[in-house]
Amino acid sequence: MGRIMAIDYGAKRTGLAVTDPLRIIATALATVETPALLSYIKDYCAREEVDLFVVGEAHRMDGSLSPSAQYIEPFVQTLREAFPSKQVARIDERFTSKLAFQSMIDSGLKKKDRRNKGTIDQVAATIMLQDFMRTQQ
């Protein structure tokens, strides 16, 4: 069984999280500058078996797609073309950044460390992955 990789796609940088090979634990992996994202994923998949990508779907409070969907959708298509044998699932990512920030506060991270947006992106991807895993049980 291969890993699941969650992708919290952003215009500038993207947070990544992965499961262990048994798909029990979700762990923050990295924050990657978005222009280098596909290359990073290809390198990672060459080293580790990944069966499924989970990509955040940005929604507004009323359920409609947010403006950021305009750059997420082309990435999802590129991902599907680059990895035709792998599944791509979508998950609502509303509130993941806010939940990530709150979990950083709750874990006792210093204010200076909470300002690192890359860390927030990784934690948001991890929360997204945990939510996806919970729905699959």
Side-chain angles (χ1 to χ4, degrees), residues 30-46:
T31 301
V32 179
E33 297 299 318
T34 299
L37 178 60
L38 194 58
S39 176
Y40 181 93
I41 293 172
K42 285 179 180 178
D43 289 345
Y44 184 84
C45 288

Side-chain angles (χ1 to χ4, degrees), residues 6-17 30-38 41 54-58 66-76 79 90 93 96-97 117-118 120-122 124-125 128:
I7 303 170
D8 183 27
Y9 190 87
K12 294 181 182 178
R13 71 192 164 275
T14 299
L16 300 172
T31 301
V32 179
E33 297 299 318
T34 299
L37 178 60
L38 194 58
I41 293 172
V54 176
V55 182
E57 200 167 45
S66 76
S68 59
Q70 70 183 354
Y71 56 86
I72 297 172
E73 295 307 319
F75 168 75
V76 170
L79 186 66
R90 303 299 301 275
E93 67 175 27
T96 55
S97 292
K117 292 183 181 182
I120 295 171
D121 294 336
Q122 286 180 41
M128 206 167 57

Side-chain angles (χ1 to χ4, degrees), residues 59-70:
H59 290 275
R60 292 183 173 142
M61 290 299 294
D62 66 3
S64 65
L65 290 175
S66 76
S68 59
Q70 70 183 354

